[in-house]
Amino acid sequence: MPFDVDGPVTTVPVAAVRPGRSPRRAGENPEHVRVLADAPDELPPIIVRRADMRVVDGMHRLRAAGLRGETRIAVRFFEGGEDEAFVLGVRANVTHGLPLSLADRKAAAERIVTSHAHWSDRMIAKTSGLSAATVARLRRAHPELTPDTRVGHDGKVRPVNGMERRRVARAIMLAEPTLSLREVAKRAGISPETARSVRRRLPQEPAPPPPREDLVRQLRADPTLRFSETGRTLLRLLEVRALPPEKWAAIAANMPAHWRDVMGRVAMECADTWRTFADQLAAGPRTQTG
């Protein structure tokens, strides 16, 4: 991931450091500031953009240092621009410290979509702590920012092909069936004629797949899975995943408020793991090898 800060730690006057553009729209949490101020340990270094001495990551620690009456604070300097500083601040607040709320993460991702339109959905998702599907939905609001290529989390540049834009158009039509072709074309970044072609195909979509419970039942009945170690591992994982929607809803409804954001991040990481597994299946051989 770009924008890492590996420079040496130094100290600067607390009064010289200025607040930065935080991804926390409500500002700092006073209770968290007090917890940090009362802790016996030395505060970890904050990250400061050298060009303007604005905080990139560490506003709670800066406020805590002020409460402690400290006149100097440990910092690491960041040399990039404002947009890069914001990205680094978001990534830092997603991976440690007081978690960002879902609303804050979505607002941050929307800004990154506009400032780093050349980044892939998954790259922005990894930075902001969201799913790639959520980022894709946010990106649809900015069809004018659709480049011909995108940079993935692995650093590789990949083309944004017409098929992807057709999928976007199809999703828009399904979500808003009364929308005009011209508006669909504008949002998806395609021509009205292409949008018309996508709409003509909608009635010809294949029937929905069997319910997941039926598929899991078929997998359990297959001896090639039941009698292999990897197959049994997969079936055990699917037993958990096969909970009905009302069970998941009950679990979510009873989740303690102070664990909701953390559990949401864990769930998204699990979703990313299954998505990677799906990609590996799609890339693997379609026939058995002897």
Side-chain angles (χ1 to χ4, degrees), residues 14 29-39 43 59-71 73:
V14 170
N29 182 310
E31 182 180 350
H32 189 59
V33 172
R34 172 58 64 184
V35 169
L36 292 175
D38 292 342
L43 294 170
M59 276 303 304
H60 286 104
R61 281 166 279 165
L62 179 65
R63 300 299 188 202
L67 281 182
R68 289 181 174 186
E70 297 175 353
T71 59
I73 188 168

Side-chain angles (χ1 to χ4, degrees), residues 266-290:
V266 172
M268 285 187 292
E269 290 177 7
C270 291
D272 285 339
T273 299
W274 279 96
R275 193 173 292 108
T276 299
F277 177 57
D279 291 343
Q280 291 169 340
L281 291 176
R286 297 292 175 180
T287 57
Q288 294 286 349
T289 55

